[in-house]
Amino acid sequence: MKLQQVSENCFAVLNEKNRVCDANSGLINRGGGVVIDTQSDLSHARQMMEMFGKVWPAMPKRVINTHEDGDHVWGNQLFEGAEIIAHRSVPERMKQVADPEETQKLLHGVERFLTRLVLKALHPGVAAMGEQLREDYDLDGVELVMPTTLFDTRYELDLDGTEVHLIYVGPCHQVGDTIIHVPKERVVFAGDVLFRQCTPMGWVGSYEKWFRCLDLIVQLNPEVIVPGHGPLCGIEGVTEMKAYLQYVREASKKSFDAGLPSLDAAKRIEFGPYGEWRAPARLYMNVERAYREFRNDPPDAPWDHATVFDAVYKVAKAKGIEVEY
């Protein structure tokens, strides 16, 4: 993890491995302090707080959760007394997708030899995911702490004269997707609507919705963007990710029309210029998402996580690359 200054009053803590759960956090050091996203476990949350403490030594007055995924909310409990702000959908969605118990069981399971053997036989992708997470994360002690202030489409903060705009853009990656715009400093905290130098994953929403969101970020004309995952960037990070999504959707349509299952399509579609991004085999999830749209499935149709992780594993093996999430 490293602390990086974004603008005069905006800072970011970046997780440099840039794999699953390696989420970024933000700080606006005005108006009592605002932290954006709270990391994936208590250890990382404490490291983040220590780094931000070099800039804002007091407990921040506010926290913003950009969406409901655990890697952005599991540190909430350490911000006792802070106002936690999120889109209205987030509390209920946190109960569905950010319950730490499932991930705790996985991490403890892969620690045990026999359990790990069985899991590898039944779900090699799930086992690989658990082993990767164990390298950096420990979810023991994590409890869900819900947002206290909810909004619908927009929410504005006045931080001692610095305006901060919370704009609901979801569902793109998740239902509660929110971007944070600091116009005076030309900064956008994008949450997981933007992945940088790693392959994006979208759980709820549509390609068209995601394209509109990325176009909106460009229209805001930020000088610096803090993505949910990956290093800081400018507008070029947005255009690159949109180009990736367009490439995958077009390639997926050809495979869909040819009658190929989504897993077979993901094994055949070339990574192209995106093969250097972290976790390129996540391609499967973006192909399957495109297939769901071609089949007219509902945008909030649930995913079977074991199937997803196993499919990513199979794509990596088929392409002869490291299994990485």
Side-chain angles (χ1 to χ4, degrees), residues 241-258:
M241 194 177 116
K242 184 177 179 182
Y244 169 81
L245 293 174
Q246 289 172 324
Y247 166 74
V248 173
R249 188 172 68 165
E250 290 170 6
S252 298
K253 186 65 166 65
K254 293 176 183 177
S255 295
F256 180 82
D257 289 344

Side-chain angles (χ1 to χ4, degrees), residues 127-148:
M129 166 70 91
E131 290 177 330
Q132 177 182 300
L133 285 175
R134 267 190 69 232
E135 294 176 12
D136 297 299
Y137 294 100
D138 179 358
L139 268 63
D140 287 355
V142 172
E143 299 174 0
L144 281 188
V145 172
M146 300 296 177
T148 58

Side-chain angles (χ1 to χ4, degrees), residues 6 46 64 123 156 189 218 244 249 254 260 271 276 301:
V6 178
R46 291 188 180 101
I64 299 170
H123 292 292
E156 297 191 0
F189 295 91
V218 172
Y244 169 81
R249 188 172 68 165
K254 293 176 183 177
L260 284 177
F271 291 142
E276 298 302 313

Side-chain angles (χ1 to χ4, degrees), residues 169-243:
V169 294
C172 299
H173 162 81
Q174 272 288 15
V175 175
D177 289 327
T178 296
I179 63 173
I180 295 92
H181 183 213
V182 188
K184 183 179 179 181
E185 308 209 1
R186 295 188 63 197
V187 171
V188 167
F189 295 91
D192 281 5
V193 300
L194 183 64
F195 288 63
R196 178 68 170 148
Q197 295 178 9
C198 60
T199 305
M201 301 171 73
W203 297 100
V204 181
S206 68
Y207 273 88
E208 287 301 329
K209 183 76 169 177
W210 211 334
F211 292 154
R212 289 198 297 271
C213 171
L214 295 173
D215 290 343
L216 171 62
I217 294 176
V218 172
Q219 291 166 17
L220 294 175
N221 194 30
E223 187 171 298
V224 185
I225 303 168
V226 182
H229 296 261
L232 304 180
C233 62
I235 294 301
E236 78 285 350
V238 180
T239 56
E240 284 177 10
M241 194 177 116
K242 184 177 179 182

Side-chain angles (χ1 to χ4, degrees), residues 16 22 30 47 67 85 101 110 114 118 122 135 180 204 206 245 258 270 272 294 314:
E16 297 172 275
D22 292 335
R30 301 276 293 176
Q47 289 181 59
H67 63 289
I85 308 169
E101 184 176 346
V110 294
L114 289 178
V118 172
L122 296 176
E135 294 176 12
I180 295 92
V204 181
S206 68
L245 293 174
E270 297 292 335
F294 303 149
K314 292 172 183 176

Side-chain angles (χ1 to χ4, degrees), residues 31-227:
V34 181
V35 165
I36 300 164
D37 290 334
T38 60
Q39 294 292 310
S40 295
D41 66 8
L42 302 184
S43 173
H44 283 74
R46 291 188 180 101
Q47 289 181 59
M48 175 261 291
M49 294 170 77
E50 181 179 347
M51 290 179 176
F52 283 152
K54 298 173 184 177
V55 178
W56 187 265
M59 178 63 74
K61 186 177 179 181
R62 298 179 178 91
V63 168
I64 299 170
N65 291 146
T66 59
H67 63 289
E68 62 265 33
D69 278 338
D71 56 336
H72 296 258
V73 305
W74 276 334
N76 282 3
Q77 72 194 73
L78 298 183
F79 293 87
E80 187 174 355
E83 177 187 18
I84 303 177
I85 308 169
H87 182 257
R88 188 166 302 281
S89 64
V90 168
E92 192 59 37
R93 286 288 298 169
M94 281 174 62
K95 296 175 188 175
Q96 298 174 35
V97 304
D99 183 348
E101 184 176 346
E102 179 181 349
T103 308
Q104 288 167 347
K105 287 180 179 178
L106 173 61
L107 295 182
H108 288 304
V110 294
E111 288 177 349
R112 295 188 289 269
F113 178 72
L114 289 178
T115 306
R116 186 167 66 250
L117 283 181
V118 172
L119 193 57
K120 282 184 175 182
L122 296 176
H123 292 292
V126 177
M129 166 70 91
E131 290 177 330
Q132 177 182 300
L133 285 175
R134 267 190 69 232
E135 294 176 12
D136 297 299
Y137 294 100
D138 179 358
L139 268 63
D140 287 355
V142 172
E143 299 174 0
L144 281 188
V145 172
M146 300 296 177
T148 58
T149 298
L150 306 177
F151 71 97
D152 292 308
T153 56
R154 291 182 69 96
Y155 193 83
E156 297 191 0
L157 299 172
D158 183 344
L159 306 180
D160 297 335
T162 296
E163 289 187 2
V164 176
H165 302 163
L166 281 66
I167 307 169
Y168 175 61
V169 294
C172 299
H173 162 81
Q174 272 288 15
V175 175
D177 289 327
T178 296
I179 63 173
I180 295 92
H181 183 213
V182 188
K184 183 179 179 181
E185 308 209 1
R186 295 188 63 197
V187 171
V188 167
F189 295 91
D192 281 5
V193 300
L194 183 64
F195 288 63
R196 178 68 170 148
Q197 295 178 9
C198 60
T199 305
M201 301 171 73
W203 297 100
V204 181
S206 68
Y207 273 88
E208 287 301 329
K209 183 76 169 177
W210 211 334
F211 292 154
R212 289 198 297 271
C213 171
L214 295 173
D215 290 343
L216 171 62
I217 294 176
V218 172
Q219 291 166 17
L220 294 175
N221 194 30
E223 187 171 298
V224 185
I225 303 168
V226 182

